[in-house]
Amino acid sequence: MELGMVSKDTSWWIFTLPAFFGSTNLLDGYVLFSIFMASLSVALLSWAFSVGGIAWKNGRNRKGSLPIPGPRGLPVFGILFTLCRGLAHRSLAAMAWSGANKQLMAFSLGSTPVVVASDPHTAREILTSSHFADRPIKQSAKSLMFSRAIGFAPNGTYWRLLRRIASSHLFAPKRIMAHETGRQLDCTTMLRDIANEQKLHGSVFLRKHLQFAALNNIMGSVFGKRYDQSKDGKELEELRDMVREGFELLGAFNWSDYFPWLSYFYDPFHINQRCSKLVPRVRKLVKGIIEQHQQLCESKILFDNADFVDVLLSLDGEEKLQEDDMVAVLWEMIFRGTDTTALLTEWVMAELILHPEVQAKLQLEIDSIVTNKTLTDADLAKLPYLQAVIKETLRVHPPGPLLSWARLSTSDVQLSNGMLVPANTTAMVNMWAITHDPNVWNDPLEFKPERFLEADVDVRGGDLRLAPFGAGRRVCPGKNLGLVTVSLWVAKLVQHFKWVQDLGAHPVDLSEVLKLSCEMKFPLHAIGVARDDTPLP
Ligand code: HEM
């Protein structure tokens, strides 16, 4: 009897299962349940035995003579929760430094297998290999037309054409030089606005001025269009809103990027819907500007200071782009060029305010070279300490600590250390980890521009100890434009003002926030004391 009771109690689920599975047949339900349990066990077992997590199952990390080490993370999710909030570059650096993971570490982001390099040697192998010349594309980037722009176009004929147009037309040295007038103009407006705000409020909200100057400057170079805050309020606000929305969508964490099947029924931030609303607005704006240029541009003669729209319209034959592709390329420039320039200048200014001795030394250098005349691009090469200050800021605060956009392996790639990265693996380089590694840099936490006077380092992709613009075929094409703009503006900001902390209301805080780029969490405010001997232009 007792035995019967036990058997009754413990076998209750046999009767409920068929109902649970919607079946009247006990065997069907039992089979389904067994399949479910078996799949769950296989999933758990593969996770338990997979270094790197579920996306590295079946020994995917052991294809080379040396296995790629890495954390297992959580079943199903991998280390998604570690990376989707907080400062991913710091979490990954801590993980790489704590184990033998510096060369390469494997991990899973949902079903995506990822490797990250945190040492210069492996970073070079990844960034310069032709097998890593693709990028994984986020859903939002695809929806926002970026798959037809330089940054996300897959490695192939179209992307090579865009790179050729970028190097021989858009970012050719003569074009960058010819746009100096615009850089100077935007800087002069910024310096005047700063002086006015200082007079009115006794301190300056620097980020606002830097962002406006950067947006106007890139609008000038790309569309030949500049805004006046007092007259073009409505149009400017519409543009700012579109740029802000685009940044938010591109930077937003989207579960569907890691679990593609989720996109059919789960989109909590309405990313798809918002992208579909933004794209027609962008098309309307950019196409309108292209039409204006077509009407105005009667002759085919292209001057060196032509804007990007005129350059693209002047292309013929194989180089000619379809109108939608032009929209994508031009819109990407606004995205890539605006925030990077503004936020790098903000980081430089923050460090100069926190290090008055560095600021004074820089002022001395500028005053000794630039006497009684406007500081120009040509003077920048004569200011080695300025270059050192900018390099040191790029080292301490690389704007893309994980190089912003990752790479994707197109085939199995054998590394020189014996590890093999399988095809279709997302590859990242943790530039922040490299630039903060005590084995690579002495006193990595100290801000010491002098280190770059002692030994010069190429920051444009030649030396992987400091490659904030990436390296190899997909290196940033805007690096020279970005560097010359930031150098000129920083030089002029310290030439005309002595910058001090607004200790009472807004002390300088170097906390970071990682969006599309790594920004100062608290916008920079400071007191700009006009330097009497260098009146504003
Ligand atoms: C301080 C300024 C800048 C920094 C730190 C920066 C950084 C980067 C980085 C790290 C990459 C990825 C490189 C790689 O995968 O190896 C990149 C790509 C890119 N950048 Fe920049 N960038 C800056 C300014 C600019 C400017 C001013 C423009 C254009 C106006 C620009 C346009 C691009 C484009 C189009 C790509 C994609 C290249 C490709 O995939 O082929 N960047 N940038």
Side-chain angles (χ1 to χ4, degrees):
M1 180 68 183
E2 240 195 295
L3 223 135
M5 277 298 287
V6 168
S7 118
K8 218 176 180 178
D9 276 358
T10 51
S11 57
W12 60 269
W13 54 270
I14 295 185
F15 299 99
T16 52
L17 263 182
F20 179 70
F21 287 119
S23 164
T24 47
N25 183 329
L26 176 62
L27 192 66
D28 275 0
Y30 187 71
V31 168
L32 277 175
F33 181 69
S34 309
I35 292 171
F36 171 73
M37 289 308 282
S39 321
L40 190 69
S41 316
V42 170
L44 282 173
L45 277 172
S46 4
W47 165 76
F49 290 106
S50 310
V51 166
I54 192 86
W56 290 88
K57 61 181 184 287
N58 303 331
R60 213 173 173 275
N61 69 318
R62 279 185 269 112
K63 287 183 155 189
S65 56
L66 192 67
I68 312 174
R72 265 199 304 275
L74 294 172
V76 184
F77 297 100
I79 64 163
L80 256 183
F81 292 109
T82 317
L83 292 204
C84 73
R85 56 193 138 87
L87 301 170
H89 52 290
R90 287 177 184 260
S91 316
L92 285 174
M95 285 157 93
W97 291 336
S98 66
N101 301 334
K102 236 163 66 171
Q103 291 186 2
L104 206 61
M105 177 168 78
F107 57 90
S108 301
L109 292 179
S111 52
T112 309
V114 186
V115 286
V116 60
S118 309
D119 95 326
H121 186 74
T122 328
R124 170 179 297 284
E125 286 196 57
I126 287 181
L127 294 178
T128 57
S129 159
S130 58
H131 303 292
F132 282 107
D134 254 354
R135 291 193 198 281
I137 181 159
K138 292 177 71 151
Q139 181 56 43
S140 54
K142 211 185 279 175
S143 312
L144 291 175
M145 305 177 294
F146 282 107
S147 54
R148 296 300 290 174
I150 305 180
F152 284 113
N155 177 21
T157 320
Y158 177 67
W159 171 74
R160 280 196 295 276
L161 167 69
L162 294 184
R163 287 294 306 206
R164 206 168 49 241
I165 295 174
S167 62
S168 46
H169 302 289
L170 304 179
F171 299 105
K174 65 170 183 193
R175 184 136 293 117
I176 296 181
M177 269 165 66
H179 280 282
E180 175 173 359
T181 324
R183 269 191 294 286
Q184 293 279 9
L185 184 74
D186 296 322
C187 190
T188 304
T189 312
M190 174 169 70
L191 294 175
R192 293 213 177 117
D193 289 348
I194 284 175
N196 287 339
E197 186 173 329
Q198 175 64 41
K199 221 179 269 167
L200 270 174
H201 302 292
S203 71
V204 182
F205 176 20
L206 258 167
R207 177 178 290 182
K208 181 183 69 184
H209 297 289
L210 295 173
Q211 281 182 339
F212 178 65
L215 181 64
N216 233 4
N217 189 246
I218 204 78
M219 285 299 286
S221 315
V222 175
F223 294 140
K225 199 173 167 69
R226 286 195 153 72
Y227 292 93
D228 179 334
Q229 305 210 64
S230 56
K231 287 191 214 140
D232 307 312
K234 205 163 157 237
E235 204 182 329
L236 182 61
E237 203 29 61
E238 163 76 354
L239 173 72
R240 277 185 172 142
D241 186 59
M242 281 168 20
V243 173
R244 214 171 13 237
E245 176 72 348
F247 269 122
E248 235 176 273
L249 288 168
L250 277 181
F253 178 80
N254 186 358
W255 285 99
S256 321
D257 289 330
Y258 307 101
F259 303 103
W261 45 270
L262 261 185
S263 63
Y264 297 106
F265 50 89
Y266 186 67
D267 183 9
F269 304 114
H270 308 292
I271 289 180
N272 289 337
Q273 210 179 328
R274 285 165 63 190
C275 288
S276 333
K277 273 195 188 155
L278 182 58
V279 168
R281 287 170 70 198
V282 171
R283 273 215 183 96
K284 191 169 162 222
L285 175 97
V286 182
K287 282 191 175 175
I289 295 177
I290 294 177
E291 274 162 27
Q292 284 168 13
H293 278 64
Q294 279 167 328
Q295 282 158 14
L296 289 174
C297 179
E298 282 151 9
S299 79
K300 280 260 169 190
I301 302 169
L302 201 65
F303 295 102
D304 284 351
N305 67 349
D307 56 58
F308 288 14
V309 178
D310 281 337
V311 173
L312 295 187
L313 285 174
S314 74
L315 300 177
D316 264 333
E318 274 187 355
E319 287 192 328
K320 185 131 201 80
L321 297 185
Q322 302 288 323
E323 195 176 56
D324 265 356
D325 294 343
M326 279 177 59
V327 172
V329 170
L330 295 167
W331 187 236
E332 180 186 49
M333 294 300 163
I334 305 292
F335 267 89
R336 297 295 303 173
T338 310
D339 74 323
T340 43
T341 312
L343 70 89
L344 176 57
T345 314
E346 192 180 18
W347 280 119
V348 179
M349 295 308 296
E351 289 291 2
L352 288 177
I353 293 165
L354 287 178
H355 297 89
E357 72 294 351
V358 175
Q359 191 184 152
K361 196 167 164 182
L362 181 56
Q363 264 152 356
L364 205 65
E365 180 182 74
I366 295 170
D367 292 348
S368 69
I369 297 291
V370 189
T371 42
N372 293 328
K373 70 172 188 81
T374 305
L375 196 157
T376 63
D377 280 2
D379 296 317
L380 299 175
K382 298 176 223 149
L383 301 171
Y385 196 61
L386 171 70
Q387 303 309 327
V389 166
I390 289 171
K391 285 182 183 177
E392 181 66 341
T393 310
L394 282 165
R395 187 189 68 77
V396 183
H397 311 285
L402 295 167
L403 294 191
S404 307
W405 289 335
R407 304 284 190 92
L408 186 72
S409 58
T410 47
S411 57
D412 288 3
V413 186
Q414 180 69 58
L415 301 180
S416 61
N417 63 2
M419 293 176 182
L420 188 144
V421 182
N424 275 321
T425 303
T426 295
M428 303 199 292
V429 166
N430 191 344
M431 191 43 65
W432 187 92
I434 297 174
T435 60
H436 288 76
D437 185 340
N439 294 316
V440 179
W441 296 95
N442 290 331
D443 309 320
L445 298 182
E446 281 181 34
F447 186 80
K448 278 203 305 197
E450 283 70 16
R451 69 176 89 229
F452 292 103
L453 297 179
E454 289 152 19
D456 195 20
V457 172
D458 169 24
V459 294
R460 292 165 209 243
D463 187 332
L464 267 290
R465 288 175 301 158
L466 179 56
F469 299 97
R473 292 155 153 231
R474 286 207 99 122
V475 67
C476 173
K479 56 188 188 300
N480 292 334
L481 178 65
L483 278 174
V484 75
T485 310
V486 174
S487 306
L488 187 75
W489 291 0
V490 167
K492 296 191 101 160
L493 280 164
V494 299
Q495 185 191 25
H496 294 287
F497 297 95
K498 178 181 176 196
W499 293 96
V500 277
Q501 280 214 67
D502 184 3
L503 270 172
H506 301 286
V508 176
D509 184 332
L510 294 181
S511 305
E512 305 165 334
V513 59
L514 186 61
K515 297 184 182 168
L516 214 50
S517 306
C518 191
E519 300 174 12
M520 288 182 74
K521 186 169 180 184
F522 304 102
L524 183 62
H525 285 74
I527 300 171
V529 184
R531 296 182 70 218
D532 295 336
D533 40 349
T534 52
L536 287 181

